[in-house]
Amino acid sequence: MKAQIAPWAEAEAFLAAHPEIEAVDIVLTDANGIGRGKIIRRHEVEGLYKQGRHLPSSILGLDVTGEDVEETGLVWSVGDADLRAWPVPGTLVALPWTSPARAQVLVSLYHLDGTPHGADPRHALAAQLAAMAADGRYPAGAFELEFYLLDAQPGPDGKPRPASMALDGRRHGQVQVYGLDDLDGMQPFFGPVYEAARVQGLPLETLISEYAPGQYELTLHYRTDLLRAADDMVMLKRLVRALARRHGMVACFMAKPLAGQAGSGMHLHVSLNDGQGRNLFAEAEGEAVPNTLLRHAIGGLAATMGDGMLAFAPHANSWRRFVAKLYAPVQPTWGVNDRSVALRVPAGPVPARRLEHRPAGVDANPYLVGATVLAGIRHGIAQGIDPGPAAEYQGFTQETPFARTMPADWRAAITQAETSDFLKGALGPDLHRAFLAIKRTEMLRLAEMIPDTDYQLYLHQV
């Protein structure tokens, strides 16, 4: 796999155009999708681009709390040795909300000899893209970002609550899906979001009021490079979180933050192009939808969904999202123009034919989601897997040939992922080992906690 390292000339031109920049955040995305790194001063940027920057191997072996997980094999068993971070092309951008002015750049980790480190999630997606390219196929796509805007302080009951309107402070508890008044009420926040996205070169498009009070969706324009599409999602989440904080709100990327309300997904729209940029999922005149290649891609994703669910739903809270009739898929079903399914072929013009992969929560790592989805597509095409009949608008309840392969909960997903040759191939052995060790540690950490519901149910009753 060829390394993708940004040239110094890219940073040199950026710094010349931005004399106000005093420091730069270098951002590495770990297995949980959390940005980690350092803030370096302006004069250190040249060294980053010319010699790389040392970061400890343990940075890829941290759990969601930021603590070391020795079982990853990335901490003391290798002496917490330094690796070298190199900047990702095209990701050095200004942070227009900062004062004094800062910028940020995404980085990936490499061994000191220059080979990509196997536990870096971005390299996992790059490896799947390289395997696709070897077959003459080039994935294109975009992610959707669903999230909640919450008050910075909890409500009277001590729990999170939707943020009041930024325009006038009005508050309501209604769903108001697709409500334009709610979007207008949040324009003092979303206006700066769009301006910051413009500054950063993020192709931010549609804004939607989603299926719960305080829930919103932002869409990104399709990229012909799926790796860059995943970078877009990493950068957009960081942008939204930072601006929400400066507006007295919390941008919440939990999959299910509020009981009784819809969870937040991170749907991936993906298609395959040939070497001339033609969409291989587009059916020929008179051909059925989906065409044979797309049908096999769907079959591969359905057949491997159970093994990949830990990448799509990586946390205990992720599994609270899978509630029937709240637009989160609960079966490995597929359909055309049908939002009740996990794998949807949207309506639209033939040249734009694509697949919408809907299982992933917004708490998932987009690099892991992308790598696992592409591995599933490759598997389906290579094996010629037929997905069976479409769900016909019954995706919430319909049994499928692959339903028995789906884990029932987080613990089962961890167990299934641990023994999955498919997921090991999708992520690579180093990342697979690290990711599973981290999830095991987090599961044990959670098991040691006594939630308030235990006291409510059992303290005086048993």
Side-chain angles (χ1 to χ4, degrees):
M1 180 176 61
K2 186 178 179 181
Q4 292 188 332
I5 297 173
W8 161 239
E10 183 178 302
E12 190 174 28
F14 174 84
L15 293 174
H18 294 277
E20 77 281 4
I21 296 294
E22 296 186 11
V24 177
D25 299 12
I26 60 174
V27 183
L28 174 77
T29 302
D30 73 6
N32 275 316
I34 297 171
R36 303 189 187 276
K38 301 179 178 182
I39 299 179
I40 62 175
R41 307 307 297 172
R42 182 185 178 97
H43 70 271
E44 297 178 275
V45 174
E46 184 173 359
L48 169 67
Y49 277 76
K50 289 185 174 180
Q51 291 93 38
R53 183 83 184 206
H54 285 158
L55 288 176
S57 59
S58 59
I59 200 170
L60 292 174
L62 303 176
D63 69 8
V64 73
T65 71
E67 293 195 24
D68 291 337
V69 179
E70 176 61 32
E71 293 79 5
T72 60
L74 299 170
V75 192
W76 298 117
S77 60
V78 293
D80 197 12
D82 274 337
L83 301 172
R84 187 166 289 144
W86 289 98
V88 173
T91 64
L92 178 59
V93 295
L95 301 177
W97 55 85
T98 55
S99 180
R102 302 199 319 270
Q104 76 175 17
V105 64
L106 303 187
V107 298
S108 282
L109 279 188
Y110 296 78
H111 293 286
L112 299 186
D113 65 3
T115 57
H117 195 285
D120 184 327
R122 194 174 188 276
H123 292 320
L125 178 52
Q128 289 298 323
L129 287 166
M132 280 280 195
D135 294 331
R137 301 184 181 109
Y138 303 90
F143 290 88
E144 296 175 354
L145 179 68
E146 294 178 356
F147 62 100
Y148 278 83
L149 289 175
L150 305 175
D151 279 346
Q153 300 300 320
D157 60 357
K159 296 180 180 179
R161 64 176 179 177
S164 57
M165 295 291 106
L167 182 66
D168 56 9
R170 181 171 62 85
R171 188 186 302 279
H172 68 76
Q174 300 173 352
V175 172
Q176 295 298 344
V177 64
Y178 284 82
L180 293 173
D181 189 59
D182 280 14
L183 301 185
D184 182 59
M186 280 297 182
Q187 276 307 300
F189 168 71
F190 283 113
V193 166
Y194 275 93
E195 174 57 21
R198 183 193 65 78
V199 169
Q200 294 193 350
L202 295 178
L204 194 56
E205 294 192 327
T206 305
L207 171 64
I208 302 168
S209 177
E210 267 290 349
Y211 199 61
Q215 190 186 35
Y216 302 90
E217 177 184 285
L218 288 166
T219 67
L220 289 154
H221 188 69
Y222 225 61
R223 294 276 197 182
T224 56
D225 178 0
L226 198 63
L227 191 57
R228 187 54 208 260
D231 293 337
D232 286 345
M233 179 54 64
V234 168
M235 294 169 66
L236 181 59
K237 288 178 74 172
R238 194 161 195 261
L239 182 160
V240 170
R241 190 192 301 274
L243 284 174
R245 189 176 185 182
R246 284 159 174 79
H247 280 78
M249 297 182 289
V250 173
C252 179
F253 302 122
M254 288 175 63
K256 183 77 168 182
L258 302 178
Q261 301 292 349
S264 295
M266 187 176 66
H267 302 166
L268 170 59
H269 292 252
V270 63
S271 58
L272 299 182
N273 291 336
D274 65 13
Q276 287 72 49
R278 293 182 295 243
N279 184 357
L280 297 172
F281 285 167
E283 64 275 8
E285 186 176 353
E287 190 177 12
V289 181
N291 69 14
T292 300
L293 189 74
L294 178 50
R295 190 175 184 88
H296 289 163
I298 293 169
L301 289 171
T304 60
M305 191 177 295
D307 282 10
M309 279 306 298
L310 189 63
F312 309 143
H315 308 292
N317 177 262
S318 307
W319 293 80
R320 300 188 187 280
R321 172 173 161 260
F322 298 113
V323 178
K325 298 186 180 179
L326 279 179
Y327 293 94
V330 294
Q331 293 283 353
T333 51
W334 74 278
V336 178
N337 194 21
D338 182 356
R339 284 186 172 85
S340 73
V341 298
L343 305 167
R344 172 178 173 250
V345 180
V350 173
R353 188 69 68 221
R354 64 193 187 277
L355 168 72
E356 181 185 11
H357 184 271
R358 298 169 58 82
V362 73
D363 56 342
N365 181 327
Y367 300 122
L368 300 193
V369 172
T372 307
V373 167
L374 291 189
I377 290 173
R378 288 179 58 223
H379 176 71
I381 293 172
Q383 301 298 319
I385 298 175
D386 190 277
E392 298 294 341
Y393 318 120
Q394 297 296 320
F396 297 124
T397 57
Q398 180 172 312
E399 286 291 323
T400 78
F402 309 106
R404 64 184 182 279
T405 67
M406 292 290 287
D409 53 29
W410 189 43
R411 181 185 294 269
I414 292 172
T415 299
Q416 186 166 336
E418 198 163 33
T419 59
S420 170
D421 289 336
F422 164 77
L423 192 62
K424 185 181 292 185
L427 304 184
D430 293 339
L431 180 54
H432 181 263
R433 174 187 175 182
F435 186 50
L436 267 296
I438 290 166
K439 294 297 108 180
R440 284 277 183 200
T441 297
E442 291 173 357
M443 183 178 67
L444 292 174
R445 181 188 295 275
L446 191 67
E448 292 175 351
M449 297 179 178
I450 309 298
D452 290 343
T453 51
D454 277 19
Y455 297 118
Q456 295 168 10
L457 291 172
Y458 308 124
L459 181 63
H460 298 292
Q461 310 302 331
V462 298

